[in-house]
């Protein structure tokens, strides 16, 4: 064996070692966050300060580690091929042998063992790797980033500025694998996915709409405000000026109670307005992302914000609880006595027996329950779809048929007597067939999705009753912003 062959074998072994170390550091860095690095620094762990610098610019150093690993693997493969060619000649069999040897070596010595060690001893290996990566990053400079730019230029579509090596999709896949291996529970997996989805969720998707908000006028007395808070169970109530689009502040229950205690039995309880104790309101646009709003609310130490639409009007309100529910699910307390959004009339999933659903239930959720695509670009809720198909404000008993489902408006709620629940059931096969025939005769809408008036008086609109309802609505609009406290329906309010 010549000296050249020996040096090639030693070089190949060293290259494999370097690539394996890079793979181990890569695996360790994937398990070290900024918070974990800061904790190690507080405990005085060796190399923690360097690790903090690495996590502050993690994509850059992850790309550098990848470059080192690729160079090591390629160098080892070339050297092994040269040794085989020198020993057996430059033939196809020699090439196949080189590929087989390096595949086994790379899989075991680079792909499995170092990564396992990196996961088992992440802090120590990451700290040791940081001691090499920091000076190496200064030497190589922007070389890894330049290679990423070149790769993005050769890749169809839009590339990733920081490289494609640590994407959100990969992290989601890791969470799914962890659940499959019983390392985490299904509820924990859903929670992690919800955290990722929170960044794509807009405030208007989680807010309490204005129609369900509870207001109090600024001129109401402290006693009236305290009575409203105690009856509704809400500790924070928006205070309005001229109308509901003019939210001037927030009344806190503890401020009301403190001020009432200070006044004692004096006449101030009957005359002092609620605006004397209200706090400034925080306003946010409905297009703001929920995760960004959560950070802002934590930093400003507020629990409630008024949501403003694109026209400057009040769209609704949002609380920290509303945002957290997107991650952990529904949060209820002793004051939450509302009915469930979905109540199956028979066995769960029995579409024939049907279900009683909230009129505010999203169309996507209803579609999942009955295995249909009910998405509509104009409306988002079941109540909105019912009103759109009817072409008028729905009343109890109003019925429509959509894609093999029968939607029947049921109960009303609130001062405005809005539809609160809708009965949804799967239409019998013979009814669907008859409905399709009627659609062919011109009585249905395109695509077999039709609209049917209820039988008897279920959907029949009485002209005189309609005029009375319209007059009531006009009076309601005239009184908007000056609703007496006693008219509020706590069951209908949220906020």
């Amino acid at each position: 064996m010549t000296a050249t062959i020996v040096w090639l074998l030693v070089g190949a072994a060293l290259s494999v070692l370097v690539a394996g170390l890079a793979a181990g550091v890569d695996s360790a860095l994937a398990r070290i966050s900024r918070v974990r690095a800061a904790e190690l620094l507080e405990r005085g762990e060796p190399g923690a300060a360097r690790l903090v610098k690495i996590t502050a610019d993690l994509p850059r150093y992850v790309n550098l580690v990848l470059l080192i690993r690729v160079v090591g693997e390629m160098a080892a493969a070339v050297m092994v091929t040269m040794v085989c060619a020198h020993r057996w000649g430059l033939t196809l069999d020699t090439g196949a042998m080189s590929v087989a040897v390096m595949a086994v070596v790379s899989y075991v010595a680079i792909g499995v063992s170092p990564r396992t060690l990196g996961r088992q001893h992440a802090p120590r290996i990451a700290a040791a790797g940081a001691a090499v990566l920091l000076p190496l990053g200064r030497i190589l400079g922007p070389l890894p980033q330049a290679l990423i730019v070149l790769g993005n230029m050769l890749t169809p579509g839009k590339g990733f500025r920081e490289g494609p090596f640590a994407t959100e999709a990969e992290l989601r896949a890791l969470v799914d694998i962890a659940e499959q291996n019983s390392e985490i529970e299904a509820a924990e997996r859903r929670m992690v996915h919800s955290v990722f989805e929170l960044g794509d969720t807009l405030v208007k998707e989680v807010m309490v709409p204005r129609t369900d908000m509870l207001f109090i006028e600024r001129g109401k007395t402290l006693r009236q405000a305290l009575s409203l808070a105690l009856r509704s169970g809400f500790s924070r109530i928006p205070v309005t000026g001229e109308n509901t689009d003019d939210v001037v502040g927030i009344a806190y229950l503890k401020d009301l109670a403190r001020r009432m205690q200070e006044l004692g039995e004096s006449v101030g309880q009957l005359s002092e307005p609620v605006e004397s104790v209200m706090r400034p309101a925080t306003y946010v646009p409905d297009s703001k992302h929920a995760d960004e709003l959560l950070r802002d609310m934590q930093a400003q130490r507020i629990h409630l914000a008024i949501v403003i639409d694109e026209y400057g009007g009040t769209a609704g309100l949002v609380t920290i609880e509303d945002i957290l529910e997107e991650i952990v699910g529904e949060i209820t307390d002793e004051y939450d006595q509302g009915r469930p959004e979905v109540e199956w009339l028979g066995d769960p999933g029995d579409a024939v027996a049907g279900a009683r659903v909230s009129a505010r239930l999203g169309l996507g959720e209803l579609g999942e329950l009955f295995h249909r695509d009910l998405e509509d670009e104009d409306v988002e809720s079941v109540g909105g779809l019912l009103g759109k198909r009817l072409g008028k404000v729905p009343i109890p008993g109003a019925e429509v048929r959509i894609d093999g489902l029968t939607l029947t408006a049921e109960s009303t709620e609130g001062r405005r007597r809005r539809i609160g629940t809708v009965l949804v059931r799967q239409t019998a096969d013979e009814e669907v067939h008859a409905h399709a025939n009627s659609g062919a005769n011109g009585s249905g809408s395109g695509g077999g999705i039709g609209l049917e008036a209820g039988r008897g008086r279920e959907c029949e609109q009485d002209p005189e009753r309609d005029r009375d309802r319209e007059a009531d609505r006009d009076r309601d609009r005239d009184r908007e912003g000056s609703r007496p406290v006693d008219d509020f329906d706590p069951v209908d309010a949220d906020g």
Side-chain angles (χ1 to χ4, degrees), residues 8-26:
L8 286 174
L9 291 175
V10 171
L14 291 176
S15 298
V16 170
L17 178 62
V18 170
L21 291 175
V25 172
D26 184 22

Side-chain angles (χ1 to χ4, degrees), residues 8-83:
L8 286 174
L9 291 175
V10 171
L14 291 176
S15 298
V16 170
L17 178 62
V18 170
L21 291 175
V25 172
D26 184 22
S27 178
L29 289 177
R31 302 179 70 87
I32 300 295
S33 64
R34 292 187 182 184
V35 176
R36 182 78 181 279
E39 292 177 351
L40 295 174
L41 182 61
E42 291 179 0
R43 295 206 303 262
E45 296 288 341
R50 292 189 295 266
L51 197 54
V52 169
K53 295 180 181 179
I54 292 290
T55 55
D57 192 8
L58 191 58
R60 174 189 176 190
Y61 292 101
V62 169
N63 296 338
L64 179 59
V65 168
L66 177 68
L67 178 62
I68 295 172
R69 182 173 65 82
V70 170
V71 170
E73 288 188 70
M74 294 297 296
V78 170
M79 293 179 190
V80 169
T81 303
M82 291 175 65
V83 170

Side-chain angles (χ1 to χ4, degrees), residues 336-353:
D336 293 327
Q337 301 176 356
R339 58 172 63 92
E341 284 199 328
V342 179
E343 179 183 355
W344 289 99
L345 302 182
D347 296 331
D350 186 354
V352 176

Side-chain angles (χ1 to χ4, degrees), residues 88-157:
W88 293 287
L90 191 60
T91 63
L92 292 177
D93 292 340
T94 302
M97 182 182 300
S98 302
V99 170
V101 170
M102 282 309 302
V104 174
V105 172
S106 296
Y107 190 86
V108 175
I110 299 176
V112 178
S113 298
R115 290 184 174 277
T116 302
L117 292 174
R119 289 176 177 270
Q120 293 174 344
H121 310 284
R124 283 187 292 175
I125 292 180
V132 178
L133 290 177
L134 285 174
L136 198 58
R138 289 192 291 268
I139 295 173
L140 295 180
L143 178 60
Q145 189 64 35
L147 294 176
I148 290 174
V149 172
L150 178 60
N152 288 336
M153 292 174 59
L154 300 177
T155 303

Side-chain angles (χ1 to χ4, degrees), residues 120-191:
Q120 293 174 344
H121 310 284
R124 283 187 292 175
I125 292 180
V132 178
L133 290 177
L134 285 174
L136 198 58
R138 289 192 291 268
I139 295 173
L140 295 180
L143 178 60
Q145 189 64 35
L147 294 176
I148 290 174
V149 172
L150 178 60
N152 288 336
M153 292 174 59
L154 300 177
T155 303
K158 184 179 180 181
F160 296 96
R161 184 171 178 266
E162 302 292 349
F165 312 119
T167 65
E168 178 181 314
E170 291 177 348
L171 294 177
R172 287 176 181 250
L174 288 175
V175 173
D176 293 336
I177 293 173
E179 185 204 1
Q180 294 171 5
N181 295 334
S182 300
E183 296 179 7
I184 63 174
E185 301 292 335
E188 295 173 326
R189 180 191 64 81
R190 289 194 296 269
M191 189 178 299

Side-chain angles (χ1 to χ4, degrees), residues 387-402:
K388 177 183 177 181
R389 294 292 181 178
L390 284 171
K392 61 186 72 176
V393 177
I395 61 175
E399 180 179 290
V400 298
R401 292 183 179 177
I402 302 172

